[in-house]
Amino acid sequence: MTKDRLLATVIAAQKGHDCAYNVLIKHLRPAIFSVHKRKISGHIKKDDWYSEGLEILMRCVKKYEVSCPRAKFSTYFITALSNRAIDLLRHHNTEKAQFCQQMIWVDDDEKPIDIATNTYNPEVIVGLRESISQLSLAKSTSFKRAVLQMIGALKYDIDKHDKRCFEQMQYRLKKMIEAGVK
C-alpha cells in the first residue's frame, strides 16, 4: 500500500488538535461534494450534505485505526460517505416516507411542502394535511405564493409593489392560524 499523506493529520485529530480537522476538511471537501453530485444531488441540499459530511468525518477520525490501517483514510472516508448517501436514499424511498410525502400536499398540482413531524401516525398526518388545505381557501395564486414563501417552500423576490400585498397576506395567514389554534 502506498503511503497515506493524511495519516499524521488523522493521528493529530485523534489527539485533539483543532487545526488537524481544518487540514482534513481542506483535503476532503471535494470528496464530500463529489459523493453529493454522484449519489444524492436531487434529494438533499448541498449545505445539508456538507454538514452531514463533517459529522461523518468526525466519526471516521474517531474510528480509524492508525496502528494498522487497512486502507487510506480518504478511501475509508469516501466509503463512509457513500454508505450514508445510500442509507438516506433508502430512507427516502421507504413506503412510510412515500406515504408521508403523499399526505402532505398543498394542492394536487403543486409540489409538496416539507413539514417535520415527530410522529408517523396517519391520523396526525391527515390532520396536518387538512390544516394546510385551509390555507388554499383563498384561490388567488398570489396568496398561495405568499404562503409558500412564508413557510419556506418557495423562494421569490418581493418588489415594492407586492410588499403591501405580501404584508396583508401575512396578516390573513396569522388570523387563519389563530383560528385554527383556538
Side-chain angles (χ1 to χ4, degrees), residues 100-115 125-154 173 176:
C100 290
Q101 186 177 8
Q102 289 173 355
M103 294 305 292
I104 303 177
W105 283 74
V106 175
D107 283 331
D108 292 333
D109 60 340
E110 293 184 20
K111 67 180 185 173
I113 297 174
D114 184 21
I115 295 177
I125 294 173
V126 169
L128 277 173
R129 184 178 184 199
E130 287 176 3
S131 64
I132 290 173
S133 69
Q134 290 180 1
L135 295 177
S136 64
L137 291 175
K139 297 298 181 192
S140 70
T141 57
S142 60
F143 180 75
K144 288 182 182 180
R145 214 172 43 183
V147 169
L148 291 173
Q149 167 74 17
M150 284 181 244
I151 62 175
L154 179 70
L173 178 64
M176 291 171 91

Side-chain angles (χ1 to χ4, degrees), residues 62-74:
K62 288 179 184 175
K63 293 184 177 185
Y64 189 70
E65 296 179 21
V66 293
S67 59
C68 57
R70 293 183 288 172
K72 287 183 175 183
F73 181 76
S74 58

Side-chain angles (χ1 to χ4, degrees), residues 9-26:
T9 311
V10 173
I11 293 169
Q14 286 179 347
K15 290 181 179 179
H17 294 289
D18 292 334
C19 295
Y21 278 106
N22 292 335
V23 172
L24 288 172
I25 291 168
K26 179 184 171 194

Side-chain angles (χ1 to χ4, degrees), residues 100 104 115-121 124-125 128:
C100 290
I104 303 177
I115 295 177
T117 178
N118 59 355
T119 181
Y120 289 109
N121 185 348
V124 173
I125 294 173
L128 277 173

Side-chain angles (χ1 to χ4, degrees), residues 21-54:
Y21 278 106
N22 292 335
V23 172
L24 288 172
I25 291 168
K26 179 184 171 194
H27 286 293
L28 297 172
R29 182 180 294 142
I32 295 171
F33 292 120
S34 173
V35 171
H36 177 266
K37 183 179 177 182
R38 285 185 290 120
K39 300 218 181 235
I40 58 169
S41 62
H43 300 285
I44 189 169
K45 294 186 289 186
K46 269 187 176 181
D47 55 343
D48 292 337
W49 177 247
Y50 181 68
S51 65
E52 187 84 24
L54 294 179

